[in-house]
Amino acid sequence: MAAKETLKPTTALRAVAVTLLLAAGYGACSALVPLIKLDVIMLALAVLAPVALHMGLMRGLMPNLLVGMLSGVLAVVAMWAVWFGFEHGWTPLWQTVQQGPKAITTTLRHLAATTSVSVTMSGSTTTHGPDTMRLLWALETALIGGAPVLGALLSPIGQARIARRVPAT
């Protein structure tokens, strides 16, 4: 009986595209869906799939690492842009981007200083203020941005696993 393929070779374009789509999907899910369990499941998918995809890159370590870093940066931008668009509107997002880096920095500082969220579980409501939100945002950003880089760093292991399964032609 043949071993089941758990890791397949992938292209850089596929790895980057899927990573972007999953990060944007997580951004939309966290803005639109008030169910924490669903958000956690989407975050896990948006972290684990890019690790596996970037492990399947078949170039050398340095090109894989460059693709992983590019993918991580683009994923973080996509996640936050989609979240901001759904949470605060697409027109303010576009206006902020058009105004440049200073407006983006000012907006980020304002959000970090003022955002809070109320969570209701089992009949009681707790409010998480800006400190808790900044910690959560830093964790989300690190996970989404770091997953492709971790996959790229593990790509030599993935290449070895793929090479053992695929007969040389």
Side-chain angles (χ1 to χ4, degrees), residues 7-24 45-59 63-76 78 144-153 155 162:
L7 189 61
K8 297 180 181 180
T10 190
T11 64
L13 182 62
R14 177 181 291 161
V16 171
V18 172
T19 300
L20 284 175
L21 288 172
L22 287 171
L45 180 63
V47 169
L48 295 176
V51 169
L53 280 168
H54 286 79
M55 278 182 72
L57 293 173
M58 299 304 288
R59 304 280 180 216
N64 289 353
L65 197 53
L66 289 173
V67 169
M69 289 188 297
L70 175 68
S71 185
V73 167
L74 293 175
V76 167
I144 294 288
V149 175
L150 177 63
L153 287 172
S155 65
I162 291 168

Side-chain angles (χ1 to χ4, degrees), residues 69-90:
M69 289 188 297
L70 175 68
S71 185
V73 167
L74 293 175
V76 167
V77 170
M79 174 186 70
W80 286 116
V82 169
W83 176 85
F84 188 89
F86 280 122
E87 199 69 31
H88 299 283
W90 297 99

